[in-house]
Amino acid sequence: MIGHQAQKLEELISSSAAKKSKKTRFIAVTSGKGGVGKSTISSNLAYVLSQNGLNVGIFDADIGLANLDVMFNVKIKKNILHVLKGEATVSDILIPITRNLILIPGESGDEILKYSDKALFERFMSEAEVLDKLDVMIIDTGAGIGEHIRMFLDVADDVIVVTVPDPAAITDAYATIKTIATFRDDINLIMNQVKSEREAVAVYEKIKKVASANIGGKLNIKLLGKINSDIKVSSCVKQRALFSAMHPGSTVHKDILLIANAISKNLERDVLVMPSESGLSGLFKRLVKHF
């Protein structure tokens, strides 16, 4: 039944997805456990990339916790599932954060597949074209490695694992990396809440060494960047504000800016993204291949 639904969706997407001039790079941000700052980093990274002149979408795939509405201080009433059920349009659910940044309230992949009505899906794909000009879509996944989280990690062009220098968090991050390594060999790491660059590199080297010894193969773990431990970050979370907007001259802002610059360099190369896979419709085109 699932296979039949997926085939129907794939046919619908193939027929409605024309070639686009813009390429969207999909970046999935995940973590081994909750509470390590994944959504804080996702939201601030999306904001900084948008301030650099890129068109950015941030897709909330962390359904259970719905952290992004808190991060951006907005209220989410409906999500993609409402669109697929015919209860809202794509434009109804989109929440503009800044001129270049749009929040897309999501739903888990297995729920999406339950609504494969041809007429509704064709309308959805047509409406989703409003997002085809996105340069980057950040997918804020749930913590852990559940089936629908794994699906988002597999379809993304880049995967970022966020962790902190705490033994339990490092263990969970390694377990996540080990699982991701079963279906892809390129993983980026962001060390959050560190005291210094030195500490970030030391923890990264430890994870990399254990991974090389136990996983091996072609696994390539890169340290994408670090975020220093700073009271400004937790203070901004409590205020429902972005630290990158509230404290533009801070060390933590400079940290997130360096990460954004590294991502922008990948965009310039952009060798992994197919031209026809743009925006929200491009994401769905990738997702349905998993069923």
Side-chain angles (χ1 to χ4, degrees):
M1 184 63 181
I2 293 257
H4 179 62
Q5 286 177 320
Q7 188 177 357
K8 279 167 62 184
L9 291 187
E10 206 157 348
E11 288 168 1
L12 285 168
I13 291 170
S14 297
S15 65
S16 61
K19 290 281 181 181
K20 314 293 179 186
S21 58
K22 180 75 74 173
K23 299 177 182 180
T24 303
R25 193 170 187 94
F26 299 100
I27 302 171
V29 184
T30 192
S31 62
K33 60 177 286 187
V36 298
K38 172 184 60 64
S39 294
T40 301
I41 287 175
S42 293
S43 53
N44 281 275
L45 184 57
Y47 174 78
V48 170
L49 285 167
S50 73
Q51 292 301 295
N52 285 354
L54 296 172
N55 290 312
V56 183
I58 181 162
F59 185 86
D60 191 353
D62 191 357
I63 310 308
L65 298 178
N67 278 341
L68 292 184
D69 58 335
V70 176
M71 299 294 167
F72 291 116
N73 197 20
V74 296
K75 290 184 178 179
I76 293 175
K77 295 179 180 178
K78 294 184 177 180
N79 60 33
I80 277 180
L81 199 55
H82 293 95
V83 179
L84 291 173
K85 289 161 75 174
E87 297 171 4
T89 66
V90 170
S91 295
D92 288 338
I93 70 167
L94 299 179
I95 301 174
I97 306 300
T98 67
R99 188 170 60 88
N100 288 26
L101 176 58
I102 293 174
L103 171 60
I104 309 156
E107 182 54 273
S108 62
D110 52 347
E111 282 294 314
I112 287 168
L113 263 187
K114 291 177 183 176
Y115 297 91
S116 54
D117 176 86
K118 182 175 181 179
L120 283 174
F121 205 81
E122 282 181 339
R123 195 190 78 184
F124 167 75
M125 293 303 291
S126 175
E127 290 174 0
E129 289 180 7
V130 299
L131 291 172
D132 283 347
K133 291 183 179 179
L134 291 179
D135 296 296
V136 180
M137 187 185 293
I138 292 178
I139 304 165
D140 185 48
T141 77
I145 202 74
E147 192 174 338
H148 82 270
I149 294 173
R150 190 181 306 194
M151 182 176 63
F152 283 115
L153 298 180
D154 194 17
V155 303
D157 295 299
D158 305 292
V159 168
I160 298 172
V161 176
V162 177
T163 191
V164 295
D166 165 79
I170 292 168
T171 300
D172 288 334
Y174 170 71
T176 299
I177 288 168
K178 191 174 181 180
T179 302
I180 296 171
T182 62
F183 54 86
R184 65 184 303 151
D185 54 22
D186 57 317
I187 300 168
N188 297 287
L189 194 66
I190 291 179
M191 291 301 310
N192 194 24
Q193 299 172 19
V194 294
K195 296 174 185 172
S196 63
E197 177 89 25
R198 185 176 178 180
E199 183 181 40
V201 172
V203 176
Y204 159 70
E205 291 291 353
K206 189 182 294 183
I207 292 173
K208 188 178 178 182
K209 184 178 180 181
V210 174
S212 296
N214 294 285
I215 302 170
K218 298 179 180 179
L219 182 62
N220 181 24
I221 305 174
K222 295 178 184 175
L223 180 61
L224 187 61
K226 57 88 179 174
I227 307 287
N228 273 11
S229 181
D230 194 320
I231 191 67
K232 295 185 187 73
V233 177
S234 55
S235 176
C236 282
V237 170
K238 289 175 184 174
Q239 295 174 50
R240 298 192 172 204
L242 301 174
F243 69 75
S244 51
M246 297 291 285
H247 303 284
S250 64
T251 302
V252 283
H253 176 254
K254 291 172 184 174
D255 287 341
I256 202 82
L257 198 56
L258 285 172
I259 294 169
N261 290 342
I263 288 171
S264 294
K265 286 181 182 177
N266 284 339
L267 281 175
E268 290 166 13
R269 291 193 293 269
D270 220 356
V271 293
L272 296 176
V273 184
M274 297 299 290
S276 60
E277 295 186 334
S278 307
L280 195 56
S281 55
L283 177 60
F284 272 64
K285 186 173 184 181
R286 296 184 184 197
L287 287 175
V288 297
K289 291 177 181 176
H290 280 252
F291 292 88

